Amino acid sequence: MRYRSLLGALLITGVLIPITSCISSPSLTSITVSPSVMNFGGPGLHTQLTAIGTYTRPNHAPVTRDLTSQVNWASATPECVTVSSSGFIESQQNICSGILITASSQGFHGIIQGSMTVNVTQPGAAGTDVTQVLISPANPAPIAVAAVEQFAASGFTGAGNPVTLTNPVSWTSSNTGVATIDQTGRATAVAAGSTTITGAYTNPDGSSAIPGTAILSVQ
């Protein structure tokens, strides 16, 4: 009887509420930035990054959320590559390699950070290699569960000229619990949420182009 009275007093004073609240709420434990590496073939090139946060709590499966517009973006070398507050990066005039771009947010145990690297090389005006891939549609309208969205990829050289993609594009979905995608670019909605669709291309000589990305939302 005395134990029940003590427990009731603790609940009334709010002593136990923060504890139960912490247990029931998932905590941010990691951030994944996509794509993980970018290769810009000269200045003035750009692409959109995405940041996916993973949240965990005891005895529950991890969940992911798109934090692209919520994290703090930073470039270690802004004179080479700038990054906006929304994760939009653009190469500048300097030639650099291994530039660190970070996305950070407050987690339960402190600041959680994800990162990726960017390389900016000298543009090859006469080159025919694909250095950048753009995905269309880049911002598709939300689709319903079980619906299908067809994506396509276009290649461009360092000088900005369109070029034919002679090798297959590798398609991935950052959250297959929301949507899956096959190697023809056909995405199928699985559950409500959002996922980053990435199309990666490798030139015949083995060099990698900047992957193209798009955000697919499922209602």
Side-chain angles (χ1 to χ4, degrees):
M1 195 71 176
R2 292 178 59 190
Y3 172 76
R4 290 181 179 178
S5 298
L6 177 60
L7 179 61
L10 289 173
L11 287 170
I12 292 172
T13 58
V15 172
L16 294 184
I17 292 175
I19 298 176
T20 56
S21 176
C22 292
I23 293 174
S24 61
S25 299
S27 300
L28 177 65
T29 52
S30 68
I31 297 174
T32 301
V33 179
S34 179
S36 59
V37 178
M38 301 289 288
N39 296 304
F40 283 128
L45 298 177
H46 51 78
T47 198
Q48 175 68 49
L49 302 181
T50 58
I52 303 297
T54 299
Y55 291 78
T56 61
R57 56 177 170 169
N59 303 317
H60 288 77
V63 295
T64 58
R65 298 174 187 170
D66 190 335
L67 302 179
T68 303
S69 61
Q70 302 172 35
V71 296
N72 295 314
W73 292 97
S75 170
T77 316
E79 60 268 28
C80 292
V81 176
T82 57
V83 60
S84 72
S85 59
S86 61
F88 185 84
I89 61 173
E90 183 171 6
S91 58
Q92 304 302 304
Q93 295 296 323
N94 294 294
I95 306 303
C96 306
S97 62
I99 304 157
L100 191 68
I101 305 295
T102 57
S104 58
S105 184
Q106 180 67 47
F108 183 74
H109 295 293
I111 298 297
I112 305 298
Q113 187 178 88
S115 65
M116 58 85 64
T117 56
V118 183
N119 303 304
V120 182
T121 59
Q122 189 70 34
T128 57
D129 278 354
V130 177
T131 60
Q132 186 176 24
V133 174
L134 296 182
I135 303 302
S136 60
N139 296 292
I143 62 176
V145 173
V148 170
E149 182 75 47
Q150 181 66 53
F151 290 92
S154 301
F156 296 86
T157 66
N161 299 317
V163 61
T164 301
L165 301 178
T166 56
N167 283 342
V169 173
S170 176
W171 295 96
T172 57
S173 168
S174 66
N175 190 342
T176 54
V178 171
T180 60
I181 189 166
D182 63 21
Q183 293 310 300
T184 68
R186 180 184 172 91
T188 302
V190 176
S194 64
T195 183
T196 301
I197 300 299
T198 301
Y201 181 78
T202 301
N203 286 290
D205 63 1
S207 60
S208 297
I210 299 167
T213 60
I215 302 297
L216 178 63
S217 298
V218 179
Q219 295 180 335

